[in-house]
Amino acid sequence: MTFTFAVLLCFGLSLKPRSPVLAGVLPKPTIKAEPGSLVTRGMQVNISCMGTSDAQKYLLFIKKFKNVQHRQSSTIRGEKAVFSINSIGQYDGGQYYCFYVTTSGWSAQSDNLELVVTVRGTSPGIFENKPCLSVLPRCVVTPGKNVTFKCFSQEEYDSFIVIKEGEQKHSMIMESQKTSAGQFQALFFVGPMTSSSSGTFKCYGYYKANPQVWSEPSDHLEIQVLGSAMNTKLSKDVCKPKTASNTQDHTVENLIRMGLAGLVFIILGTLLFEHWRNQSWTYHEAGK
Ligand SMILES: *[C@@H]1O[C@H](CO)[C@@H](O)[C@H](O)[C@H]1NC(C)=O
Ligand SMILES: *[C@@H]1O[C@H](CO)[C@@H](O)[C@H](O)[C@H]1NC(C)=O
Ligand SMILES: *[C@@H]1O[C@H](CO)[C@@H](O)[C@H](O)[C@H]1NC(C)=O
């Protein structure tokens, strides 16, 4: 027991043979974005870097592809610096990280914060269409079943992303494919479903040239996996997205109904006419 502990301790120490006087060895700061790391163009975004109380300066960097840019420095002394972007633009998307400096040197680099900006219509034909999200076979399933998400658009996005609300880190990404109908889509095979797979999903499209700029999100799609006590209370409306496509479905439904009613009317009319014609024939023959 003691031996194991000693070995672990030695191993741990040997992994971090660091001396606090060297540059870059103070503990890494924590980087965070408010209101979040997936934001809409035009929003105010605060990127905070939290180090130690004896920090004298904070530096913020942004990395896009392999290009690193010094974004801003803050000479605020103390535990935390907040870099405020008043109106976030599409070129502000990227990987952010920060450092702080004290009299004993530089801190280690913070983790990367991936900041994604959603936009709409940046130039003609680009980001003009939010994608649509659907699921097969249906959005209320039993545990153990697999489902397939389909994210699609008329716009030629390079890739699509499906995200479950509140779990941005576990997003699913797929390259898009052109269908024979000239639409662009990606299929996401998911399963087997468990009761914890229930949730609200949406998808986004993006272009490879700028993976940190996404389209507006699709309408929300709610998935329910039956079986857990919480989910047995079934609402009938879960499959219905909350917008236009829905009313469109109704219009189509109504058209079909009206068409059917018309058809029945025509058939009845024809039968009656035939009947009347046969009767008049009989009448004529009888009267002859
Ligand atoms: C960003 O910081 C400013 C000033 O500290 C504050 O007024 C604002 O509410 C913050 N915005 C967000 C989105 O946190
Ligand atoms: C679900 O998908 C997995 C692979 O991801 C497959 O092995 C399994 O057979 C599928 N189950 C059903 C019910 O189709
Ligand atoms: C009309 O009369 C013809 C011949 O008598 C018969 O074959 C046909 O089924 C009749 N049609 C109707 C609608 O009664």
Side-chain angles (χ1 to χ4, degrees):
M1 186 73 179
T2 326
F3 175 70
T4 321
F5 180 69
V7 168
L8 280 176
L9 193 66
C10 289
F11 189 61
L13 284 177
S14 68
L15 275 179
K16 289 181 181 175
R18 286 174 169 174
S19 132
V21 253
L22 290 174
V25 295
L26 295 168
K28 67 180 180 189
T30 308
I31 191 166
K32 227 166 119 179
E34 290 287 342
S37 55
L38 178 55
V39 292
T40 307
R41 181 164 59 163
M43 271 179 147
Q44 187 193 46
V45 179
N46 292 343
I47 298 176
S48 66
C49 185
M50 198 160 140
T52 64
S53 52
D54 58 346
Q56 297 184 311
K57 187 179 178 176
Y58 285 87
L59 297 104
L60 182 68
F61 291 82
I62 179 173
K63 184 162 66 183
K64 289 189 177 216
F65 295 106
K66 297 240 156 92
N67 299 329
V68 174
Q69 226 179 21
H70 173 220
R71 173 80 205 230
Q72 228 174 326
S73 297
S74 160
T75 48
I76 282 177
R77 288 161 188 268
E79 209 175 17
K80 179 173 159 183
V82 178
F83 301 96
S84 198
I85 305 168
N86 274 333
S87 171
I88 195 129
Q90 66 179 115
Y91 299 108
D92 294 321
Q95 308 236 352
Y96 286 82
Y97 57 87
C98 66
F99 296 92
Y100 62 91
V101 186
T102 74
T103 45
S104 15
W106 285 62
S107 73
Q109 179 181 324
S110 72
D111 291 336
N112 283 334
L113 167 78
E114 181 154 20
L115 191 74
V116 173
V117 184
T118 66
V119 299
R120 175 177 193 170
T122 53
S123 47
I126 307 290
F127 290 117
E128 276 186 341
N129 299 279
K130 65 178 190 181
C132 298
L133 182 64
S134 65
V135 68
L136 283 170
R138 63 188 73 84
C139 57
V140 179
V141 295
T142 48
K145 284 271 161 27
N146 295 343
V147 299
T148 304
F149 286 102
K150 182 168 100 172
C151 185
F152 58 100
S153 175
Q154 299 301 325
E155 191 171 328
E156 195 173 354
Y157 292 114
D158 290 326
S159 296
F160 290 108
I161 299 176
V162 172
I163 287 183
K164 183 176 169 189
E165 204 154 83
E167 292 181 20
Q168 199 183 323
K169 289 214 168 94
H170 305 292
S171 54
M172 302 178 276
I173 303 175
M174 290 283 288
E175 282 188 14
S176 81
Q177 287 181 329
K178 191 172 183 173
T179 66
S180 51
Q183 180 169 273
F184 297 87
Q185 70 171 39
L187 299 176
F188 301 80
F189 302 101
V190 182
M193 302 293 274
T194 66
S195 53
S196 67
S197 317
S198 296
T200 304
F201 293 78
K202 50 194 167 175
C203 76
Y204 300 80
Y206 72 82
Y207 293 94
K208 271 188 202 142
N210 202 343
Q212 276 106 18
V213 178
W214 295 359
S215 71
E216 290 186 298
S218 66
D219 290 336
H220 294 189
L221 185 70
E222 200 176 322
I223 304 293
Q224 282 200 350
V225 183
L226 299 176
S228 75
M230 238 171 54
N231 290 326
T232 41
K233 185 167 55 80
L234 238 187
S235 114
K236 273 191 178 163
D237 284 334
V238 283
C239 283
K240 292 184 181 163
K242 291 149 201 156
T243 49
S245 59
N246 203 17
T247 47
Q248 227 170 26
D249 283 353
H250 279 302
T251 320
V252 171
E253 245 171 63
N254 285 342
L255 277 177
I256 291 172
R257 277 199 198 118
M258 278 164 61
L260 278 178
L263 201 64
V264 168
F265 192 73
I266 289 168
I267 291 172
L268 271 178
T270 317
L271 281 176
L272 275 173
F273 176 72
E274 283 285 308
H275 188 66
W276 170 80
R277 224 175 48 156
N278 274 12
Q279 265 190 343
S280 53
W281 264 88
T282 332
Y283 175 78
H284 276 293
E285 275 175 19
K288 217 162 60 169

CSV table of all heavy atoms in Angstrom, one decimal, residues 5-46:
chain,number,residue,atom,x,y,z
A,5,PHE,N,1.8,3.8,-3.1
A,5,PHE,CA,1.6,5.2,-2.9
A,5,PHE,C,2.9,5.9,-3.3
A,5,PHE,O,2.9,6.9,-4.1
A,5,PHE,CB,1.2,5.6,-1.5
A,5,PHE,CG,1.0,7.0,-1.3
A,5,PHE,CD1,0.0,7.7,-1.9
A,5,PHE,CD2,1.9,7.7,-0.5
A,5,PHE,CE1,-0.2,9.1,-1.7
A,5,PHE,CE2,1.8,9.1,-0.3
A,5,PHE,CZ,0.7,9.8,-0.9
A,6,ALA,N,4.0,5.4,-2.8
A,6,ALA,CA,5.3,6.0,-3.1
A,6,ALA,C,5.6,5.9,-4.6
A,6,ALA,O,6.1,6.9,-5.2
A,6,ALA,CB,6.4,5.2,-2.3
A,7,VAL,N,5.3,4.8,-5.2
A,7,VAL,CA,5.5,4.7,-6.6
A,7,VAL,C,4.7,5.7,-7.4
A,7,VAL,O,5.2,6.4,-8.3
A,7,VAL,CB,5.2,3.3,-7.1
A,7,VAL,CG1,5.2,3.2,-8.6
A,7,VAL,CG2,6.2,2.3,-6.6
A,8,LEU,N,3.4,5.8,-7.0
A,8,LEU,CA,2.6,6.8,-7.7
A,8,LEU,C,3.1,8.2,-7.5
A,8,LEU,O,3.1,9.0,-8.4
A,8,LEU,CB,1.1,6.7,-7.1
A,8,LEU,CG,0.3,5.5,-7.6
A,8,LEU,CD1,-1.1,5.5,-6.9
A,8,LEU,CD2,0.1,5.7,-9.1
A,9,LEU,N,3.5,8.5,-6.3
A,9,LEU,CA,4.0,9.8,-6.0
A,9,LEU,C,5.3,10.1,-6.9
A,9,LEU,O,5.3,11.2,-7.5
A,9,LEU,CB,4.4,9.9,-4.5
A,9,LEU,CG,4.6,11.3,-4.0
A,9,LEU,CD1,3.3,12.1,-4.0
A,9,LEU,CD2,5.2,11.2,-2.6
A,10,CYS,N,6.2,9.1,-6.9
A,10,CYS,CA,7.4,9.3,-7.7
A,10,CYS,C,7.0,9.5,-9.2
A,10,CYS,O,7.5,10.4,-9.9
A,10,CYS,CB,8.3,8.1,-7.6
A,10,CYS,SG,9.1,8.0,-6.0
A,11,PHE,N,6.1,8.7,-9.6
A,11,PHE,CA,5.7,8.7,-11.0
A,11,PHE,C,5.1,10.1,-11.3
A,11,PHE,O,5.4,10.8,-12.3
A,11,PHE,CB,4.7,7.6,-11.3
A,11,PHE,CG,4.3,7.5,-12.7
A,11,PHE,CD1,5.3,7.1,-13.7
A,11,PHE,CD2,3.0,7.7,-13.1
A,11,PHE,CE1,5.0,7.0,-15.0
A,11,PHE,CE2,2.7,7.5,-14.5
A,11,PHE,CZ,3.7,7.2,-15.4
A,12,GLY,N,4.2,10.5,-10.4
A,12,GLY,CA,3.5,11.8,-10.6
A,12,GLY,C,4.6,13.0,-10.6
A,12,GLY,O,4.5,13.8,-11.5
A,13,LEU,N,5.5,12.9,-9.7
A,13,LEU,CA,6.5,14.0,-9.7
A,13,LEU,C,7.4,14.0,-10.9
A,13,LEU,O,7.7,15.0,-11.5
A,13,LEU,CB,7.4,13.8,-8.4
A,13,LEU,CG,6.7,14.2,-7.1
A,13,LEU,CD1,7.7,13.9,-6.0
A,13,LEU,CD2,6.4,15.6,-7.1
A,14,SER,N,7.7,12.7,-11.4
A,14,SER,CA,8.6,12.7,-12.5
A,14,SER,C,7.9,13.2,-13.8
A,14,SER,O,8.5,13.6,-14.7
A,14,SER,CB,9.1,11.3,-12.7
A,14,SER,OG,8.0,10.5,-13.1
A,15,LEU,N,6.5,13.1,-13.8
A,15,LEU,CA,5.8,13.7,-14.9
A,15,LEU,C,5.9,15.2,-15.0
A,15,LEU,O,5.7,15.8,-16.0
A,15,LEU,CB,4.3,13.2,-14.8
A,15,LEU,CG,4.0,11.9,-15.4
A,15,LEU,CD1,2.5,11.6,-15.2
A,15,LEU,CD2,4.4,11.8,-16.8
A,16,LYS,N,6.0,15.8,-13.8
A,16,LYS,CA,6.0,17.3,-13.8
A,16,LYS,C,7.3,17.8,-13.1
A,16,LYS,O,7.2,18.3,-12.0
A,16,LYS,CB,4.8,17.7,-13.0
A,16,LYS,CG,3.5,17.5,-13.7
A,16,LYS,CD,2.3,18.0,-12.9
A,16,LYS,CE,1.0,17.7,-13.6
A,16,LYS,NZ,-0.2,18.1,-12.8
A,17,PRO,N,8.4,17.7,-13.8
A,17,PRO,CA,9.6,18.2,-13.2
A,17,PRO,C,9.7,19.7,-13.5
A,17,PRO,O,10.6,20.1,-14.3
A,17,PRO,CB,10.7,17.4,-14.0
A,17,PRO,CG,10.0,17.1,-15.3
A,17,PRO,CD,8.6,17.2,-15.2
A,18,ARG,N,8.9,20.4,-12.8
A,18,ARG,CA,8.8,21.8,-13.1
A,18,ARG,C,9.3,22.7,-12.0
A,18,ARG,O,9.1,22.4,-10.8
A,18,ARG,CB,7.4,22.2,-13.5
A,18,ARG,CG,7.0,21.7,-14.8
A,18,ARG,CD,5.5,22.0,-15.0
A,18,ARG,NE,5.2,21.7,-16.4
A,18,ARG,CZ,3.9,21.7,-16.9
A,18,ARG,NH1,2.9,22.0,-16.0
A,18,ARG,NH2,3.7,21.5,-18.1
A,19,SER,N,9.9,23.8,-12.4
A,19,SER,CA,10.4,24.7,-11.4
A,19,SER,C,9.7,26.0,-11.6
A,19,SER,O,9.6,26.5,-12.8
A,19,SER,CB,11.9,24.9,-11.5
A,19,SER,OG,12.2,26.3,-11.5
A,20,PRO,N,9.1,26.7,-10.6
A,20,PRO,CA,8.3,27.9,-10.8
A,20,PRO,C,9.0,29.1,-11.3
A,20,PRO,O,8.4,30.1,-11.7
A,20,PRO,CB,7.7,28.1,-9.4
A,20,PRO,CG,8.5,27.3,-8.5
A,20,PRO,CD,9.2,26.2,-9.2
A,21,VAL,N,10.3,29.0,-11.4
A,21,VAL,CA,11.0,30.2,-12.0
A,21,VAL,C,11.0,30.3,-13.5
A,21,VAL,O,11.3,31.3,-14.1
A,21,VAL,CB,12.5,30.4,-11.4
A,21,VAL,CG1,12.5,31.5,-10.4
A,21,VAL,CG2,13.0,29.1,-10.9
A,22,LEU,N,10.8,29.1,-14.1
A,22,LEU,CA,10.9,29.1,-15.6
A,22,LEU,C,9.6,29.7,-16.1
A,22,LEU,O,8.5,29.7,-15.5
A,22,LEU,CB,11.0,27.7,-16.0
A,22,LEU,CG,12.3,27.0,-15.8
A,22,LEU,CD1,12.3,25.5,-16.2
A,22,LEU,CD2,13.4,27.7,-16.6
A,23,ALA,N,9.7,30.2,-17.3
A,23,ALA,CA,8.5,30.8,-18.0
A,23,ALA,C,7.5,29.7,-18.3
A,23,ALA,O,7.9,28.6,-18.7
A,23,ALA,CB,9.0,31.5,-19.2
A,24,GLY,N,6.3,30.0,-18.2
A,24,GLY,CA,5.2,29.1,-18.6
A,24,GLY,C,5.0,28.0,-17.7
A,24,GLY,O,4.4,27.0,-18.1
A,25,VAL,N,5.3,28.1,-16.4
A,25,VAL,CA,5.1,27.0,-15.5
A,25,VAL,C,4.1,27.3,-14.4
A,25,VAL,O,3.8,26.4,-13.7
A,25,VAL,CB,6.5,26.5,-14.9
A,25,VAL,CG1,7.3,26.0,-16.0
A,25,VAL,CG2,7.1,27.7,-14.2
A,26,LEU,N,3.7,28.5,-14.3
A,26,LEU,CA,2.6,28.8,-13.3
A,26,LEU,C,1.4,28.1,-13.8
A,26,LEU,O,1.2,27.8,-15.0
A,26,LEU,CB,2.4,30.3,-13.2
A,26,LEU,CG,3.5,31.1,-12.7
A,26,LEU,CD1,3.3,32.6,-12.8
A,26,LEU,CD2,3.8,30.7,-11.2
A,27,PRO,N,0.5,27.7,-12.9
A,27,PRO,CA,-0.7,26.9,-13.3
A,27,PRO,C,-1.5,27.6,-14.4
A,27,PRO,O,-1.6,28.8,-14.4
A,27,PRO,CB,-1.5,26.8,-12.0
A,27,PRO,CG,-0.6,27.1,-10.9
A,27,PRO,CD,0.5,28.0,-11.4
A,28,LYS,N,-2.1,26.8,-15.2
A,28,LYS,CA,-2.8,27.4,-16.4
A,28,LYS,C,-4.0,28.1,-15.9
A,28,LYS,O,-4.7,27.7,-14.9
A,28,LYS,CB,-3.1,26.4,-17.4
A,28,LYS,CG,-4.2,25.4,-16.9
A,28,LYS,CD,-4.5,24.3,-18.0
A,28,LYS,CE,-5.5,23.3,-17.5
A,28,LYS,NZ,-5.7,22.2,-18.3
A,29,PRO,N,-4.4,29.2,-16.5
A,29,PRO,CA,-5.6,29.9,-16.2
A,29,PRO,C,-6.9,29.2,-16.8
A,29,PRO,O,-6.7,28.4,-17.6
A,29,PRO,CB,-5.5,31.3,-16.8
A,29,PRO,CG,-4.5,31.1,-17.9
A,29,PRO,CD,-3.7,29.9,-17.6
A,30,THR,N,-8.0,29.6,-16.3
A,30,THR,CA,-9.3,29.1,-16.8
A,30,THR,C,-9.9,30.1,-17.8
A,30,THR,O,-10.1,31.2,-17.4
A,30,THR,CB,-10.3,28.8,-15.6
A,30,THR,OG1,-9.6,28.1,-14.6
A,30,THR,CG2,-11.5,28.1,-16.1
A,31,ILE,N,-10.3,29.6,-18.9
A,31,ILE,CA,-10.9,30.5,-19.9
A,31,ILE,C,-12.3,30.2,-20.1
A,31,ILE,O,-12.7,29.0,-20.1
A,31,ILE,CB,-10.1,30.5,-21.3
A,31,ILE,CG1,-10.5,31.6,-22.2
A,31,ILE,CG2,-10.2,29.1,-21.9
A,31,ILE,CD1,-9.6,31.8,-23.4
A,32,LYS,N,-13.1,31.2,-20.3
A,32,LYS,CA,-14.6,31.0,-20.3
A,32,LYS,C,-15.2,32.1,-21.1
A,32,LYS,O,-14.8,33.2,-21.2
A,32,LYS,CB,-15.1,31.1,-18.9
A,32,LYS,CG,-16.1,29.9,-18.5
A,32,LYS,CD,-16.3,29.9,-17.0
A,32,LYS,CE,-17.8,30.2,-16.7
A,32,LYS,NZ,-17.9,30.1,-15.2
A,33,ALA,N,-16.3,31.7,-21.8
A,33,ALA,CA,-17.1,32.7,-22.6
A,33,ALA,C,-18.5,32.9,-22.0
A,33,ALA,O,-19.1,31.9,-21.7
A,33,ALA,CB,-17.1,32.4,-24.0
A,34,GLU,N,-18.9,34.1,-21.9
A,34,GLU,CA,-20.3,34.4,-21.5
A,34,GLU,C,-21.0,35.2,-22.6
A,34,GLU,O,-20.3,36.1,-23.2
A,34,GLU,CB,-20.3,35.3,-20.2
A,34,GLU,CG,-19.9,34.6,-18.9
A,34,GLU,CD,-20.9,33.6,-18.4
A,34,GLU,OE1,-22.0,33.7,-18.8
A,34,GLU,OE2,-20.5,32.8,-17.6
A,35,PRO,N,-22.2,34.9,-23.0
A,35,PRO,CA,-23.1,33.9,-22.4
A,35,PRO,C,-22.8,32.5,-22.8
A,35,PRO,O,-23.5,31.6,-22.3
A,35,PRO,CB,-24.4,34.3,-23.0
A,35,PRO,CG,-24.1,35.0,-24.3
A,35,PRO,CD,-22.8,35.6,-24.1
A,36,GLY,N,-21.8,32.2,-23.6
A,36,GLY,CA,-21.5,30.8,-24.0
A,36,GLY,C,-20.6,30.7,-25.1
A,36,GLY,O,-20.1,31.8,-25.6
A,37,SER,N,-20.2,29.5,-25.6
A,37,SER,CA,-19.2,29.5,-26.7
A,37,SER,C,-19.9,29.3,-28.0
A,37,SER,O,-19.2,29.2,-29.0
A,37,SER,CB,-18.2,28.3,-26.4
A,37,SER,OG,-19.0,27.1,-26.2
A,38,LEU,N,-21.2,29.2,-28.0
A,38,LEU,CA,-22.0,29.2,-29.3
A,38,LEU,C,-22.9,30.4,-29.3
A,38,LEU,O,-23.9,30.4,-28.6
A,38,LEU,CB,-22.7,27.9,-29.4
A,38,LEU,CG,-23.6,27.7,-30.6
A,38,LEU,CD1,-22.8,27.8,-31.9
A,38,LEU,CD2,-24.3,26.3,-30.6
A,39,VAL,N,-22.5,31.4,-30.1
A,39,VAL,CA,-23.2,32.7,-30.0
A,39,VAL,C,-23.7,33.2,-31.3
A,39,VAL,O,-23.2,32.7,-32.4
A,39,VAL,CB,-22.3,33.8,-29.3
A,39,VAL,CG1,-22.0,33.5,-27.9
A,39,VAL,CG2,-21.0,33.9,-30.1
A,40,THR,N,-24.6,34.1,-31.3
A,40,THR,CA,-25.1,34.7,-32.5
A,40,THR,C,-24.4,36.0,-32.9
A,40,THR,O,-24.1,36.8,-32.0
A,40,THR,CB,-26.6,34.9,-32.3
A,40,THR,OG1,-27.2,33.7,-31.9
A,40,THR,CG2,-27.3,35.3,-33.6
A,41,ARG,N,-24.2,36.2,-34.2
A,41,ARG,CA,-23.5,37.4,-34.6
A,41,ARG,C,-24.2,38.6,-34.0
A,41,ARG,O,-25.5,38.7,-34.1
A,41,ARG,CB,-23.5,37.5,-36.1
A,41,ARG,CG,-22.8,38.7,-36.6
A,41,ARG,CD,-22.4,38.6,-38.1
A,41,ARG,NE,-23.6,38.4,-38.9
A,41,ARG,CZ,-23.6,38.6,-40.2
A,41,ARG,NH1,-22.5,39.0,-40.8
A,41,ARG,NH2,-24.6,38.3,-40.9
A,42,GLY,N,-23.5,39.6,-33.6
A,42,GLY,CA,-24.1,40.8,-33.0
A,42,GLY,C,-24.2,40.8,-31.5
A,42,GLY,O,-24.4,41.8,-30.9
A,43,MET,N,-24.1,39.6,-30.9
A,43,MET,CA,-24.2,39.5,-29.5
A,43,MET,C,-23.0,40.1,-28.8
A,43,MET,O,-21.9,40.2,-29.3
A,43,MET,CB,-24.2,38.1,-29.0
A,43,MET,CG,-25.6,37.4,-29.0
A,43,MET,SD,-25.3,35.7,-28.5
A,43,MET,CE,-26.8,35.4,-27.6
A,44,GLN,N,-23.2,40.5,-27.5
A,44,GLN,CA,-22.0,40.9,-26.7
A,44,GLN,C,-21.5,39.7,-26.1
A,44,GLN,O,-22.2,38.9,-25.5
A,44,GLN,CB,-22.4,41.9,-25.6
A,44,GLN,CG,-21.2,42.4,-24.9
A,44,GLN,CD,-21.5,43.1,-23.6
A,44,GLN,OE1,-22.3,42.7,-22.8
A,44,GLN,NE2,-20.9,44.3,-23.4
A,45,VAL,N,-20.1,39.5,-26.2
A,45,VAL,CA,-19.5,38.3,-25.6
A,45,VAL,C,-18.4,38.7,-24.8
A,45,VAL,O,-17.5,39.5,-25.1
A,45,VAL,CB,-19.0,37.3,-26.8
A,45,VAL,CG1,-18.4,36.1,-26.2
A,45,VAL,CG2,-20.2,36.9,-27.7
A,46,ASN,N,-18.3,38.1,-23.6
A,46,ASN,CA,-17.2,38.4,-22.6
A,46,ASN,C,-16.4,37.1,-22.5
A,46,ASN,O,-16.9,36.1,-22.2
A,46,ASN,CB,-17.7,38.8,-21.2
A,46,ASN,CG,-18.4,40.1,-21.2
A,46,ASN,OD1,-18.3,40.9,-22.2
A,46,ASN,ND2,-19.2,40.3,-20.2
